[in-house]
Amino acid sequence: MQAIELALWSDRLVLASLAVLSACLLTYAASAALAVRSTGRAQVPVLVGGPEALLEGSAPPTAEARAQLLRSAGTWLLASGAVLLVAAVVARGLAAGRVPWGNMYEFGLTASAAVAVTFLGVRRGRQVDAVAPWVVALVLVLLGVSVTSLYTPVDELVPVLDSTWLVIHVAAAIVAGALFTVGALAVLGQMILSRGGREGRGSSELGDLAHTVHLVAFPIWTFAVIAGAVWAENAWGRYWGWDPKETWAFITWVLYAAHLHALATSGWRRRAGWLAVAGFAAFLFNFFGVNIWIPGLHSYAGV
Amino acid sequence: MRTAVVLLILLAVAAVPGSLLPQRGVASDPAAVPLFYRANPDLAPWLDRLYLFDVYSAPWFAAIYLLLLVSMTGCVLPRCARLWREVTAPPPAAPRRLERETGHTSLTVPDAPAALAAAAEHLRSRRFRVVRTDGEVRAEKGHVRELGNLAFHLSLLVLLVGVAGGRLFGYEGRVAVVEGSTFTNIASAYDALTPAPLADRDGLEPLEFTLRSFDAQFETSGPRLGEPRAFTAALDWVTPDDSGTAEVRPNQPFDVDGTKFFLTGHGYAPQVTVRDGRGDVAASGPVIFLPQDQAFTSDGVVKVPDARPTPLALQGLFLPTAARGADGVDVSAYPGLVNPALLLTAYSGDLGLDDGGAQSVYTLDLDGLVEVEGDDGERWRVTLAPGETVRLPDGLGTVTFDGVARFANFQVARDPGKEISLVAALLLLAGLTVSLGVPRRRAWVRLLDDSTVEVGWRHLGRRRSADTDAAALSAAIQPVHHTHPESTT
Ligand code: HEM
């Protein structure tokens, strides 16, 4: 197949995944609404008592069952969306004849796919459906922004980006970023569910998910930073130059290190959550803010 | 630990302003700080007093990371000692109230002492350190986690040494080399050289290279027309005991024993021959013109102090692909050599080179010069194609545009702390991976009576991950249940 055609296929697959993921979000929303209604009804007998309440008592299980059914349907849609996204990334790479992360559009596209796949990977065996809609919403936003305002047609890399270390560095950054994303959503979910000191439903599951994800993400991010330094040494002769992009990678790293320490510090668990969120914010700023607002050696990546 | 968290947060916050304000010796654009000064004349001196243009070498920044490292060392050394004691000591005895431990279970077995033996055997095969007494089995695994943690923290100190090595003994330089000419690695041959405080200026790596050719390729069509695609500089080099050829590309420096030459830019050097009023060759050869835009519209000057009767200077604009712009001004439309043209104006008089003051080779000091005028009384100007010769007015001489050479810009760097930093980084990564990936855990199996044993686990570290270990141990103690899972329910 010709490069042009492959690029077109990639674009079509992206549109298809946007549609599927939107459907997924709607399904999750419907499921959540049903679940809320079913728990709402379940409270009726306690509050009011009386014969009607007893009659209503048969409704909740079916509503709950339907909510459950919708949730699995949502998960299937999410999986399909992820498959479409991965295919889109692969097609884009084949069309360009290189790894598909040479500009912001491709980075956004690959990151969306990575977040979706990562979440599907880590949710297995855990009760963490509470964050699933938020993950999907985030992927939709990222994908939407990439398609509408970052879109760039396929072309070659400028010479300085054409390096094996780029591939390694960016691949690690994308994987770590996808994990950070899931981690941040899980931490936020946990903090919301456990507001006011209560261990709400599912909050400890979310906390556990966040912790595991961060323990995996931190070494990968460390590796990404080191690989970036090796690349910088290869390209510019110095492995660390406090370029804005490097600086924000460092800030991200230090904030996550602070997060991990805070988890081990008595009385700092909740603040630890905020540190993880701050680390994620620094990561996001590095991707969007630094590329758009701050000039530096990295800003040739073609916004 | 609270100190560590607070200092880490401080470090993160302190790093922020350096990414928002222009920095000296950091940014890709050396003019950024002066420009900021001009734009904010009131604010800038205050920011400067707070080291906000030198954040990463500021005393307050150093104070934060040094405090962090000191506090870290203070934390980690006692931990080293404790780890040593723990590794050399046998696994501790079971706590009296084993039922308080994680995953506590009581198991009914046909022969309790035999079950104890099986448990010890099983744990040993799982590479636990095991001690068996009459009444219990004590086991522990995962000390390597602590070792990883220590390696990680201590590697930060090694990293500091590596960074300091480069900051104290290294140097950076810049030099532009024209095709066909030779660069000798001595301090005076550089266009710019910034040695670290303790670097040896006279002891630069002995070496010499000639830029045999420079090749640049650009996108030839489509919306990205003119974007760079590939650069190659071909060198012939000589050192005291060897010689050879090398190709330098972006990401692919020329490396002589740790002194590295990085290709960071390129441009054109028009070859110009100037004959003076007496017909003698007063200047000849390529002259570096600095690129001004993506299409390599370049400008430069040719100084001819030896011309007689009067010294001459030419101010020029070089266009690799000349085209008439919309407003009637000549510009270059494409960075490659498609339709090269050299636009010149001329000056005569005193070039000011003898004053002793340093002068840029890229600009003219117009003070002692008069503009050369044509017969019409207008400023003399001419556009030349390669091979063309033009006569200057008033018998001042002739100018020939012989052809075009390219030049390559090299960024030169030597960082003697680099290898140490790399080793530190690898140690850091390995330590971190082990510290975060390996759980440390203890297990106890205790005889309750002839047919019952109890099992308890403790995780040292905050990750619960040993569920599979617990299941495997129970199965080893009570194999029946393993083969008939229904019977347990
Ligand atoms: C220089 C900056 C530092 C960085 C980047 C750093 C990073 C880390 C990381 C990533 C961990 C692993 C966290 C985990 O096990 O979940 C850790 C653990 C630890 N750090 Fe640091 N650290 C630093 C400084 C310090 C300091 C100053 C102290 C002492 C006050 C310290 C004491 C510890 C201790 C005791 C642990 C083990 C925690 C545990 O196993 O639960 N660290 N550090």
Side-chain angles (χ1 to χ4, degrees):
Chain A
M1 224 188 296
Q2 284 233 308
I4 305 268
E5 224 169 302
L6 275 166
L8 269 176
W9 268 107
S10 170
D11 295 351
R12 284 181 201 135
L13 284 164
V14 170
L15 291 183
S17 65
L18 271 171
V20 170
L21 289 174
S22 307
C24 167
L25 190 59
L26 288 177
T27 314
Y28 275 140
S31 152
L34 270 180
V36 166
R37 233 184 45 215
S38 76
T39 52
R41 289 238 187 101
Q43 289 170 348
V44 171
V46 185
L47 292 174
V48 192
E52 322 89 44
L54 286 176
L55 280 175
E56 293 272 321
S58 59
T62 55
E64 176 52 36
R66 261 184 281 150
Q68 185 60 46
L69 205 67
L70 277 176
R71 253 203 307 279
S72 344
T75 306
W76 276 106
L77 284 170
L78 174 55
S80 322
V83 168
L84 290 170
L85 272 177
V86 170
V89 171
V90 171
R92 178 86 184 188
L94 289 175
R98 55 168 169 77
V99 288
W101 45 70
N103 50 50
M104 289 259 292
Y105 168 69
E106 292 175 345
F107 199 58
L109 175 59
T110 311
S112 312
V115 172
V117 170
T118 302
F119 179 70
L120 285 167
V122 298
R123 66 171 281 286
R124 291 164 55 93
R126 294 171 195 277
Q127 294 293 313
V128 292
D129 288 333
V131 283
W134 298 102
V135 173
V136 177
L138 199 96
V139 170
L140 275 172
V141 169
L142 186 55
L143 207 54
V145 170
S146 305
V147 169
T148 53
S149 43
L150 301 174
Y151 187 80
T152 328
V154 166
D155 58 40
E156 291 179 50
L157 288 181
V158 294
V160 73
L161 291 177
D162 187 5
S163 143
T164 321
W165 281 107
L166 165 76
V167 177
I168 296 172
H169 164 66
V170 180
I174 289 175
V175 172
L179 288 163
F180 283 155
T181 308
V182 173
L185 288 174
V187 159
L188 282 171
Q190 181 209 10
M191 290 198 295
I192 291 170
L193 287 181
S194 63
R195 248 173 331 198
R198 286 173 292 120
E199 280 276 300
R201 267 200 316 165
S203 92
S204 69
E205 284 278 347
L206 281 178
D208 189 56
L209 170 71
H211 190 47
T212 307
V213 163
H214 286 140
L215 288 185
V216 177
F218 190 72
I220 297 179
W221 180 245
T222 309
F223 173 74
V225 174
I226 294 174
V230 173
W231 177 33
E233 205 278 332
N234 267 286
W236 302 315
R238 86 286 183 292
Y239 57 89
W240 196 266
W242 294 110
D243 176 85
K245 204 96 185 161
E246 295 167 353
T247 303
W248 281 91
F250 173 79
I251 294 172
T252 306
W253 190 76
V254 171
L255 285 172
Y256 275 107
H259 163 70
L260 291 177
H261 278 91
L263 280 180
T265 308
S266 55
W268 276 63
R269 277 200 81 86
R270 202 173 169 76
R271 276 175 257 183
W274 286 115
L275 283 170
V277 173
F280 183 61
F283 176 83
L284 279 187
F285 182 75
N286 207 4
F287 178 39
F288 290 105
V290 172
N291 280 20
I292 293 167
W293 294 307
I294 304 183
L297 289 170
H298 283 80
S299 44
Y300 44 60
V303 176
Chain B
M1 286 296 258
R2 198 159 58 228
T3 330
V5 182
V6 170
L7 286 171
L8 282 167
I9 295 172
L10 263 179
L11 185 65
V13 173
V16 172
S19 77
L20 305 178
L21 289 166
Q23 298 291 298
R24 290 196 184 95
V26 163
S28 39
D29 179 7
V33 173
L35 279 178
F36 188 89
Y37 249 92
R38 214 170 307 155
N40 307 279
D42 298 326
L43 185 62
W46 283 103
L47 297 180
D48 211 0
R49 246 162 264 174
L50 297 172
Y51 296 89
L52 285 167
F53 299 128
D54 306 273
V55 166
Y56 307 106
S57 47
W60 49 264
F61 192 74
I64 297 174
Y65 69 72
L66 289 178
L67 266 178
L68 193 53
L69 288 174
V70 167
S71 124
M72 185 270 285
T73 314
C75 251
V76 164
L77 287 185
R79 235 176 128 95
C80 278
R82 205 180 78 211
L83 178 63
W84 178 249
R85 282 196 303 277
E86 283 175 358
V87 169
T88 46
R96 223 155 41 83
R97 310 186 58 179
L98 198 54
E99 64 275 14
R100 284 203 180 160
E101 302 297 320
T102 322
H104 174 263
T105 41
S106 298
L107 299 168
T108 314
V109 288
D111 176 359
L116 217 54
E121 186 59 32
H122 167 81
L123 287 167
R124 251 183 224 116
S125 76
R126 290 246 164 169
R127 313 192 46 201
F128 278 76
R129 295 190 311 136
V130 179
V131 167
R132 196 182 153 200
T133 65
D134 281 350
E136 68 186 33
V137 170
R138 309 160 180 170
E140 176 160 8
K141 180 172 169 176
H143 279 115
V144 66
R145 169 201 162 86
E146 303 291 328
L147 199 65
N149 191 359
L150 296 177
F152 165 75
H153 283 91
L154 294 177
S155 72
L156 294 171
L157 294 175
V158 182
L159 188 62
L160 185 72
V161 172
V163 171
R167 290 285 208 82
L168 294 176
F169 298 101
Y171 71 83
E172 275 186 28
R174 231 173 344 99
V175 63
V177 182
V178 181
E179 276 174 316
S181 67
T182 298
F183 167 79
T184 307
N185 192 26
I186 50 174
S188 60
Y190 281 90
D191 296 340
L193 186 69
T194 39
L198 304 180
D200 179 9
R201 268 179 77 94
D202 302 321
L204 304 191
E205 189 72 29
L207 107 111
E208 208 174 83
F209 69 78
T210 305
L211 180 62
R212 179 160 26 91
S213 66
F214 184 87
D215 181 49
Q217 273 159 23
F218 304 96
E219 187 66 60
T220 52
S221 61
R224 307 239 159 180
L225 176 78
E227 271 200 5
R229 285 297 170 249
F231 311 129
T232 315
L235 310 182
D236 297 317
W237 54 267
V238 186
T239 63
D241 35 44
D242 206 359
S243 66
T245 60
E247 293 203 333
V248 189
R249 299 189 179 83
N251 294 319
Q252 209 175 303
F254 171 49
D255 181 351
V256 183
D257 248 357
T259 301
K260 292 194 175 183
F261 292 78
F262 296 86
L263 187 59
T264 53
H266 64 103
Y268 292 100
Q271 287 157 317
V272 178
T273 301
V274 179
R275 288 169 198 276
D276 63 15
R278 299 188 300 203
D280 296 332
V281 173
S284 181
V287 182
I288 288 177
F289 274 41
L290 296 181
Q292 304 300 318
D293 60 24
Q294 301 277 28
F296 283 76
T297 302
S298 312
D299 56 29
V301 299
V302 184
K303 297 181 183 181
V304 200
D306 299 331
R308 296 292 173 269
T310 37
L312 292 172
L314 304 171
Q315 178 126 40
L317 192 67
F318 174 72
L319 310 174
T321 300
R324 185 52 56 91
D327 44 3
V329 180
D330 289 310
V331 291
S332 176
Y334 179 73
L337 281 178
V338 176
N339 176 29
L342 182 61
L343 283 62
L344 294 175
T345 56
Y347 295 86
S348 66
D350 179 10
L351 288 167
L353 292 178
D354 304 329
D355 302 352
Q359 215 188 60
S360 162
V361 296
Y362 302 116
T363 54
L364 278 181
D365 176 4
L366 293 177
D367 278 354
L369 295 173
V370 284
E371 211 167 64
V372 172
E373 291 178 352
D375 299 335
D376 50 6
E378 293 284 306
R379 169 212 278 222
W380 180 82
R381 57 167 80 215
V382 66
T383 301
L384 296 176
E388 288 183 339
T389 300
V390 68
R391 185 166 292 283
L392 288 160
D394 309 327
L396 287 168
T398 62
V399 179
T400 307
F401 178 22
D402 300 314
V404 188
R406 294 179 191 255
F407 73 87
N409 261 323
F410 293 97
Q411 167 96 21
V412 188
R414 177 172 176 79
D415 180 346
K418 203 158 57 187
E419 283 77 17
I420 301 178
S421 299
L422 183 63
V423 169
L426 295 178
L427 186 64
L428 185 155
L429 191 61
L432 191 61
T433 309
V434 168
S435 145
L436 296 185
V438 176
R440 183 172 165 199
R441 52 213 186 273
R442 291 183 181 148
W444 294 280
V445 185
R446 184 152 66 194
L447 210 60
L448 278 187
D449 54 48
D450 282 351
S451 60
T452 321
V453 295
E454 58 172 345
V455 181
W457 287 84
R458 183 183 293 176
H459 305 292
L460 296 88
R462 278 164 291 110
R463 227 172 91 153
R464 39 162 242 214
S465 63
D467 301 355
T468 51
D469 277 354
L473 177 59
S474 298
I477 295 172
Q478 225 178 14
V480 186
H481 291 262
H482 194 56
T483 41
H484 305 287
E486 306 84 7
S487 64
T488 54
T489 49

